[in-house]
Amino acid sequence: MSIRVGIAGYGNLGRGVECAVKHNPDMELKAVFTRRDPASVKILTESVSVYHIDAAEKLKDEIDVLIICGGSATDLPEQTPYFAQWFNVVDSFDTHARIPEHFANVDKAARESGHIGMISIGWDPGMFSLNRMYANAILTNGMDYTFWGKGVSQGHSDAIRRIEGVKNGKQYTIPVEAALESVRKGENPVLTTRQKHVRECFVVAEEGADLERIEREIKTMPNYFDEYDTTVHFITEEELLRDHSGIPHGGFVIRSGRTGWNDENSHVIEYSLKLDSNPEFTASVIVAYARAAYRMHQEGQTGCKTIFDVAPAYLSSFDGEYLRAHML
Amino acid sequence: MSIRVGIAGYGNLGRGVECAVKHNPDMELKAVFTRRDPASVKILTESVSVYHIDAAEKLKDEIDVLIICGGSATDLPEQTPYFAQWFNVVDSFDTHARIPEHFANVDKAARESGHIGMISIGWDPGMFSLNRMYANAILTNGMDYTFWGKGVSQGHSDAIRRIEGVKNGKQYTIPVEAALESVRKGENPVLTTRQKHVRECFVVAEEGADLERIEREIKTMPNYFDEYDTTVHFITEEELLRDHSGIPHGGFVIRSGRTGWNDENSHVIEYSLKLDSNPEFTASVIVAYARAAYRMHQEGQTGCKTIFDVAPAYLSSFDGEYLRAHML
């Protein structure tokens, strides 16, 4: 019997989840829920219906795991605990500072209803957190480094587009190669913000706009750009659409540490991602953890879980015997 | 209260475990067991006693986890199930083909005695297996690549030393950079043995030995060298000791895969290790899993576990609240 999946929220991430379910033959998309008029939402899976999100409760016996694809700022803090009263839920809540509070809310709701609430699943938070944790547990005496990119930062792209005279724009975060190399050599450098990443902007200006002012406003923008070396390229709308319409991302989690009676040996653990599509990869991680949520619930577990709480075997469609024989 | 650790077998790995315990303040070395005359074994930790391995049973109430540091060929298949009758045990059994059988034996012994038996812990099998499994669960449509090195292969070094006229020797396994680059680009190459790794040998010949014959015998040795491009360097014993006495290793686990409704997007997940000391790193992984074995036993779990069965949080000395606030 397939694991029946529901999707709440149909943007880039929701569509990514739909694609990921297609890649997992033991799973089946059962319904998509939206806050929009359901008739206006066209999904990729022909046989599946789109419902208004207020109708979700009615399908509680037909869905094993509901994947909540809202935003972290206002949607998920409300939605994840709310839907945990009827469903096992998985979200990708990514406001690091508010995770403890979100955990407590989801834990309470999921325990009361006897469900699993899996939060902050994706790659950062998610696989990057997991790799930081594993590497810290192994090399207790060491230093952590996280680099992001090359990839599109949605927040920084939005910031550019708010500048007067800017019609459209996209921002890439790029790790500084020299910093990466030093970390990889185990040199344990102390790196400033400027030494870790550079920012590259592709900007479509409105006709007649003052390009020098736009460039200056970008480069000096507090928090977003002022602490970085930033490059600004002015391009046409056609070039932007042709060359910069993807949502690539990725990054590197590196820990270097020392072992030996007198710390005489050095080791470097590195985990990296190179992603054509940030939302589709995030969705692929989420769907694997939806399988885990289903199985943990089947075993009678309840409450909020993070990526740290899930034994790896729960993620795989293969059973333990197969995994031991073929992947260990 | 500290987790009390015992070490059975005091070679490179046992000494590595001793060093790793020193790096984990919540753990304490309680005893070292050896098959040799205990009086002849000098360990690094001054306050700890060395016992004959036959005396292990007597210390069963003083040790929380016994780490078994024997060889996979003949020691571990006997020792791990045997000691599981008195202790939670962890081993680094690495004969991939015999893992299912070893699992069954350890599982039976550990269930009967109510202990945890953690097998095949290290980096391959171990962290490499774990990363293969995670990457497969996330990118279901893709290809796996494992590269080893640059590092010393004990088996190949031994094979060189068995050749007539060879006094000493060391062999390095080295990944082919072009193959690595192709895999990283997501090109999904089909690679032969020869295309993935090269082998580099440093050989000390006996005086008057026929160097050409030695080189030929190495390069044509079935299974060990004949399928690889091999380089042989003749050096002096002094050079070997000066430049090649370390036990470095490492490698790369890479999975590339496609997502999207029509598989239109490509992703690459890479995990890599660069290790100054293979045994000390392996020991550091083992000690983290010893913590997990202790905790799982405290919770009432029993039986054989592999790296796939252990929720990551069990490995960390930090509690869930700390991990969520600082590492997620």
Side-chain angles (χ1 to χ4, degrees):
Chain A
M1 205 188 72
S2 297
I3 300 170
R4 300 165 302 172
V5 173
I7 296 173
Y10 194 74
N12 283 333
L13 185 60
R15 200 175 300 110
V17 169
E18 184 180 19
C19 294
V21 168
K22 186 188 177 193
H23 283 86
N24 285 273
D26 63 334
M27 310 187 98
E28 171 195 358
L29 184 63
K30 204 70 195 174
V32 169
F33 301 100
T34 178
R35 282 181 296 208
R36 293 176 271 169
D37 172 10
S40 74
V41 176
K42 291 278 160 288
I43 67 170
L44 300 161
T45 316
E46 286 186 2
S47 55
V48 171
S49 300
V50 180
Y51 302 88
H52 192 270
I53 202 160
D54 292 343
E57 181 186 358
K58 288 184 197 135
L59 278 85
K60 70 184 164 63
D61 296 327
E62 291 173 48
I63 288 171
D64 295 311
V65 187
L66 183 67
I67 297 175
I68 308 183
C69 301
S72 293
T74 55
D75 299 336
L76 297 178
E78 297 289 328
Q79 291 179 340
T80 310
Y82 179 74
F83 287 115
Q85 66 182 307
W86 303 307
F87 300 99
N88 296 310
V89 291
V90 184
D91 78 20
S92 58
F93 185 76
D94 67 0
T95 311
H96 291 262
R98 294 186 61 194
I99 285 173
E101 174 190 343
H102 190 53
F103 182 92
N105 293 338
V106 175
D107 194 51
K108 182 166 184 288
R111 281 186 195 281
E112 281 174 10
S113 72
H115 288 102
I116 293 282
M118 199 92 77
I119 64 161
S120 302
I121 302 298
W123 63 274
D124 196 3
M127 296 309 294
F128 272 19
S129 329
L130 189 66
N131 276 279
R132 271 190 291 266
M133 203 232 87
Y134 272 120
N136 272 269
I138 295 167
L139 295 176
T140 56
N141 175 26
M143 281 180 76
D144 293 304
Y145 297 89
T146 303
F147 294 88
W148 292 273
K150 183 180 177 177
V152 172
S153 164
Q154 231 45 73
H156 288 78
S157 300
D158 290 345
I160 291 171
R161 287 191 287 259
R162 282 193 296 265
I163 292 175
E164 199 192 315
V166 170
K167 199 172 161 200
N168 207 342
K170 207 117 181 200
Q171 192 269 181
Y172 295 90
T173 306
I174 306 168
V176 174
E177 196 60 39
L180 257 176
E181 282 314 308
S182 171
V183 169
R184 281 189 180 130
K185 282 187 196 146
E187 295 175 344
N188 289 346
V190 177
L191 298 165
T192 63
T193 300
R194 193 178 298 275
Q195 287 169 322
K196 287 184 73 184
H197 298 93
V198 295
R199 300 196 176 277
E200 190 171 21
C201 308
F202 293 87
V203 180
V204 180
E206 281 165 7
E207 228 182 286
D210 179 348
L211 303 189
E212 267 181 53
R213 178 192 48 82
I214 290 174
E215 180 163 346
R216 195 171 56 240
E217 280 194 34
I218 292 175
K219 290 185 172 177
T220 58
M221 196 186 296
N223 302 318
Y224 284 87
F225 292 99
D226 63 338
E227 288 179 60
Y228 298 86
D229 289 333
T230 302
T231 319
V232 178
H233 309 277
F234 289 98
I235 60 174
T236 65
E237 183 94 53
E238 292 70 42
E239 288 170 320
L240 190 81
L241 289 175
R242 187 189 66 204
D243 303 332
H244 304 283
S245 59
I247 320 176
H249 220 310
F252 306 81
V253 172
I254 307 177
R255 183 167 175 87
S256 63
R258 303 192 76 85
T259 66
W261 195 250
N262 296 305
D263 290 341
E264 58 271 32
N265 287 311
S266 174
H267 308 271
V268 179
I269 304 174
E270 176 171 343
Y271 179 80
S272 70
L273 297 173
K274 210 174 74 192
L275 313 176
D276 270 2
S277 164
N278 185 352
E280 285 181 12
F281 186 82
T282 300
S284 301
V285 178
I286 287 176
V287 164
Y289 279 88
R291 179 183 291 116
Y294 170 76
R295 290 179 174 169
M296 292 167 85
H297 180 249
Q298 290 282 98
E299 289 181 6
Q301 298 188 50
T302 64
C304 190
K305 308 286 174 191
T306 74
I307 204 157
F308 301 140
D309 305 312
V310 180
Y314 284 116
L315 305 177
S316 175
S317 60
F318 299 113
D319 66 12
E321 197 178 329
Y322 181 93
L323 291 176
R324 286 190 293 276
H326 296 93
M327 289 205 190
L328 197 59
Chain B
M1 207 188 72
S2 298
I3 300 170
R4 300 164 303 172
V5 173
I7 296 173
Y10 194 74
N12 283 333
L13 184 61
R15 200 174 299 111
V17 170
E18 184 180 18
C19 294
V21 168
K22 186 189 176 192
H23 283 86
N24 285 273
D26 63 334
M27 310 186 98
E28 170 195 1
L29 184 63
K30 204 69 195 177
V32 170
F33 301 100
T34 178
R35 283 181 296 207
R36 293 176 270 169
D37 171 9
S40 75
V41 176
K42 290 277 161 289
I43 68 169
L44 299 162
T45 316
E46 284 185 4
S47 55
V48 171
S49 300
V50 181
Y51 302 88
H52 192 270
I53 202 160
D54 292 342
E57 182 187 357
K58 288 182 198 138
L59 278 85
K60 69 183 165 63
D61 296 326
E62 290 174 49
I63 289 171
D64 295 310
V65 187
L66 182 67
I67 297 175
I68 309 183
C69 302
S72 293
T74 55
D75 298 337
L76 297 178
E78 297 288 329
Q79 290 179 342
T80 309
Y82 178 75
F83 287 116
Q85 67 183 305
W86 304 307
F87 300 100
N88 297 310
V89 291
V90 184
D91 78 19
S92 57
F93 185 76
D94 67 0
T95 312
H96 291 263
R98 295 186 61 194
I99 284 173
E101 175 192 342
H102 189 53
F103 182 91
N105 293 337
V106 174
D107 194 51
K108 183 168 183 289
R111 281 186 196 281
E112 281 174 10
S113 72
H115 288 101
I116 293 283
M118 199 92 77
I119 64 161
S120 303
I121 302 297
W123 61 275
D124 196 3
M127 295 310 294
F128 272 19
S129 327
L130 190 65
N131 276 279
R132 271 190 291 267
M133 204 232 87
Y134 272 119
N136 271 268
I138 295 167
L139 295 176
T140 56
N141 175 26
M143 283 182 74
D144 293 303
Y145 297 89
T146 303
F147 294 87
W148 292 274
K150 180 181 178 172
V152 172
S153 163
Q154 229 49 69
H156 289 78
S157 300
D158 290 345
I160 292 172
R161 287 190 288 258
R162 282 192 297 265
I163 292 175
E164 200 191 314
V166 170
K167 200 174 161 196
N168 208 342
K170 207 117 182 201
Q171 192 269 184
Y172 295 90
T173 305
I174 305 168
V176 174
E177 196 59 39
L180 256 177
E181 281 315 307
S182 171
V183 169
R184 281 188 182 133
K185 281 188 199 146
E187 295 175 344
N188 289 348
V190 177
L191 298 165
T192 63
T193 300
R194 194 177 299 275
Q195 288 170 322
K196 287 183 72 184
H197 298 92
V198 295
R199 299 196 178 278
E200 189 170 24
C201 308
F202 293 87
V203 180
V204 181
E206 282 166 6
E207 228 181 287
D210 179 349
L211 302 188
E212 268 182 48
R213 178 191 49 80
I214 290 174
E215 181 163 346
R216 194 171 57 242
E217 281 195 34
I218 291 174
K219 289 185 171 177
T220 58
M221 195 185 296
N223 303 317
Y224 284 88
F225 292 100
D226 63 338
E227 288 180 59
Y228 298 86
D229 289 332
T230 302
T231 319
V232 178
H233 309 276
F234 290 98
I235 59 173
T236 65
E237 183 93 54
E238 292 69 44
E239 288 170 322
L240 190 81
L241 290 174
R242 187 190 66 204
D243 303 331
H244 304 283
S245 59
I247 321 175
H249 221 310
F252 306 81
V253 172
I254 307 177
R255 184 167 175 87
S256 63
R258 303 192 77 86
T259 66
W261 195 248
N262 295 305
D263 290 340
E264 58 272 30
N265 287 311
S266 174
H267 308 271
V268 180
I269 304 174
E270 175 171 343
Y271 179 80
S272 70
L273 296 173
K274 208 174 74 191
L275 313 176
D276 270 2
S277 165
N278 185 352
E280 285 181 11
F281 186 82
T282 301
S284 300
V285 178
I286 288 175
V287 164
Y289 279 87
R291 179 182 291 117
Y294 170 76
R295 290 179 175 170
M296 292 166 85
H297 180 250
Q298 291 280 99
E299 289 182 6
Q301 299 189 50
T302 65
C304 190
K305 307 288 174 190
T306 74
I307 205 158
F308 300 141
D309 306 312
V310 180
Y314 283 117
L315 305 177
S316 175
S317 61
F318 298 113
D319 65 12
E321 197 178 327
Y322 182 93
L323 291 177
R324 286 190 294 275
H326 296 92
M327 289 204 190
L328 198 59

